[in-house]
Amino acid sequence: MFADRVLSGMRPTGSLHLGHYHGVLKNWVTLQQQYECLFFVADWHALTTHYDSPELIEQHTWDMIIDWLAAGVDPAQATLFIQSKVPSHAELYLLLSMITPLGWLERVPTYKDQQEKLTEKDLSTYGFLGYPLLQSADILIYRANLVPVGEDQAPHLEFTREISRRFNHIFGKEPGFEEKAELAIKKLGSKKSRLYSELRNLYQEQGDEGALEEAKSLLDEQQNLNMGDRERLFGYLEGKSRVILAEPETLLTQASRMPGLDGQKMSKSYNNTISLREDADSIRKKIRTMPTDPARVRRSDPGDPAKCPVWSFHSVYSNDEVRSWVQQGCKSAGIGCLECKQPVIDSILAELAPISERAKMYEEDPALVRNIVADGCEKANKLAEETMRDVREVMGLNYS
């Protein structure tokens, strides 16, 4: 219905580490070259679990944005903004809450799961219960049709799709909808009007999914339709209501293979991270003191790479030749653990060197970072307001 648009956000947790880089940022850098992308700091989401420590959010926000820019996220290709600087997120969140069944929120898989894991936090709050709906508002307000998520987050996106369908069903039923849709069809011109009607009939009468996709493509190509007519014609394909809030599609991303220094998932809570802007000496020390296969008590003891956390780093950073050298040398005790770790050290330092160099430019010029974000917030506000005008209109809130 709209041009392909990607939306993704991160909670402000401060300086980012290699897990973030391999799990999210490299994907963002690729996506920004293929689609219109909006990347945002989810500072309101941070409050759902850290409402008792808000003093950290501001500094964490700027640290994280610097890491985004240093990692290659390009403000000339993508829009970077802060969630709380676009108040319409909160407005849409509130309006969607009016139609969201309580049971829908309670059945989101991560609701009870997070309550059980984060036992040190009191998460019996409305904000925590409603955070999936805030996520939905984040996506729907930009009519973002592509959302990169891992498999564990797929239920959240399906929840957003359900909210979109419910909203369109309730508020898309405008008086005289069919008559307005038929008038909009005529604006396509005689040839395209006939094709649209044929494809619509094929889908509605025979369930032809190919016809539905072809009809959507036909509408996407039209430049002479206003937003209202576009919404009506998309809705008319499948039913009798306008499509005001577009359903997003999942862009499944591969789970990060970046392990922590102890072999667990890389996480600040495990104290096993390497930060993107960490100095070289600290990185060398961390890698050199990593645990290895317990069987290698002495240099002459053979080991098994599969039982060594360092091998997981080789899986990410080393080529086939180096991995073969590690396998053979470890199992025969032909190489020591420090020798084995050196190629990993070299590869990580080589990867982070340009990131650290770019970061210095932004660290030394905070005004540049703030200007980038201010520009992004301005653009995000304009896009959000386009959606909110339609939402207020159909909900009877467009007072003049």
Side-chain angles (χ1 to χ4, degrees):
M1 177 175 176
F2 305 97
D4 284 338
R5 181 178 291 165
V6 170
L7 180 96
S8 189
M10 293 176 67
R11 295 185 182 209
T13 57
S15 298
L16 303 183
H17 52 64
L18 285 175
H20 296 115
Y21 180 65
H22 287 275
V24 178
L25 295 180
K26 288 176 75 173
N27 188 42
W28 282 10
V29 171
T30 300
L31 289 173
Q32 71 184 1
Q33 300 169 19
Q34 301 171 344
Y35 305 103
E36 177 188 1
C37 290
L38 294 97
F39 302 132
F40 72 99
V41 178
D43 53 343
W44 280 337
H45 282 293
L47 286 170
T48 60
T49 53
H50 292 78
Y51 54 82
D52 54 347
S53 53
E55 68 279 358
L56 301 175
I57 291 178
E58 182 178 4
Q59 188 56 51
H60 282 178
T61 292
W62 296 117
D63 285 340
M64 188 169 74
I65 291 172
I66 288 175
D67 282 336
W68 290 1
L69 295 166
V73 177
D74 184 357
Q77 294 182 294
T79 300
L80 280 61
F81 67 98
I82 298 172
Q83 182 185 35
S84 64
K85 295 297 183 182
V86 186
S88 294
H89 282 245
E91 183 182 2
L92 183 58
Y93 172 46
L94 171 67
L95 295 177
L96 292 177
S97 74
M98 304 301 179
I99 65 165
T100 302
L102 186 61
W104 287 18
L105 290 167
E106 292 174 330
R107 78 181 188 211
V108 174
T110 51
Y111 176 59
K112 290 184 178 179
D113 180 59
Q114 289 292 301
Q115 282 188 319
E116 291 171 359
K117 287 182 177 178
L118 301 176
T119 53
E120 74 281 5
K121 297 281 186 180
D122 179 9
L123 297 181
S124 300
T125 62
Y126 168 73
F128 184 71
L129 174 66
Y131 86 89
L133 186 61
L134 180 56
Q135 285 184 328
S136 297
D138 297 333
I139 298 166
L140 296 174
I141 201 165
Y142 298 106
R143 289 164 164 154
N145 63 321
L146 299 171
V147 182
V149 295
E151 289 185 6
D152 60 328
Q153 286 290 310
H156 286 258
L157 199 60
E158 184 54 37
F159 173 81
T160 300
R161 290 165 59 83
E162 291 175 343
I163 292 296
S164 170
R165 288 193 291 266
R166 182 169 171 81
F167 184 92
N168 292 331
H169 175 72
I170 294 173
F171 297 107
K173 292 181 176 179
E174 60 181 336
F177 169 75
E178 292 190 58
E179 291 80 3
K180 291 177 181 178
E182 290 294 339
L183 287 173
I185 292 174
K186 293 178 181 178
K187 295 179 183 179
L188 298 174
S190 58
K191 184 177 179 180
K192 291 178 180 176
S193 294
R194 186 166 57 252
L195 178 58
Y196 172 90
S197 297
E198 290 172 355
L199 293 170
R200 177 176 177 270
N201 289 337
L202 277 173
Y203 173 69
Q204 293 198 352
E205 294 174 7
Q206 302 177 28
D208 188 332
E209 294 288 344
L212 176 63
E213 293 307 313
E214 188 178 346
K216 288 180 177 180
S217 296
L218 174 68
L219 293 177
D220 282 332
E221 295 168 1
Q222 304 314 302
Q223 304 295 323
N224 62 331
L225 293 174
N226 61 38
M227 186 60 70
D229 283 337
R230 187 176 292 272
E231 291 168 353
R232 290 182 189 100
L233 291 183
F234 271 96
Y236 199 41
L237 284 171
E238 300 183 62
K240 295 183 178 180
S241 61
R242 288 170 59 184
V243 177
I244 302 156
L245 298 178
E247 291 185 35
E249 299 292 335
T250 301
L251 265 180
L252 274 179
T253 58
Q254 291 185 342
S256 172
R257 296 185 301 133
M258 193 68 242
L261 293 166
D262 55 1
Q264 300 183 81
K265 176 183 177 182
M266 186 171 283
S267 171
K268 290 180 183 178
S269 60
Y270 297 151
N271 195 30
N272 64 357
T273 65
I274 293 176
S275 299
L276 296 187
R277 287 182 269 161
E278 195 156 336
D279 69 84
D281 287 342
S282 175
I283 293 172
R284 291 189 186 96
K285 182 178 179 180
K286 283 185 174 181
I287 299 295
R288 286 171 178 165
T289 56
M290 279 182 67
T292 56
D293 179 1
R296 297 207 72 179
V297 178
R298 294 177 294 275
R299 167 67 175 75
S300 57
D301 293 332
D304 183 356
K307 298 178 181 177
C308 177
V310 180
W311 176 249
S312 298
F313 276 73
H314 278 293
S315 297
V316 175
Y317 283 104
S318 299
N319 58 29
D320 290 342
E321 182 180 352
V322 172
R323 286 196 289 265
S324 177
W325 170 75
V326 169
Q327 286 280 351
Q328 183 178 356
C330 180
K331 291 178 178 179
S332 66
I335 61 172
C337 292
L338 286 178
E339 291 175 84
C340 171
K341 292 173 178 178
Q342 191 58 47
V344 171
I345 294 172
D346 294 340
S347 295
I348 291 177
L349 292 178
E351 180 176 64
L352 294 185
I355 293 176
S356 296
E357 190 62 33
R358 285 192 294 266
K360 287 179 184 177
M361 176 179 69
Y362 296 108
E363 290 170 341
E364 294 169 358
D365 191 357
L368 174 60
V369 180
R370 281 161 172 75
N371 287 337
I372 288 171
V373 173
D375 289 344
C377 290
E378 182 179 1
K379 181 177 179 181
N381 270 296
K382 288 179 180 178
L383 292 173
E385 187 55 30
E386 290 176 6
T387 303
M388 289 311 302
R389 279 196 294 268
D390 286 345
V391 169
R392 295 186 199 111
E393 177 190 351
V394 300
M395 296 187 75
L397 301 172
N398 196 17
Y399 303 113
S400 56

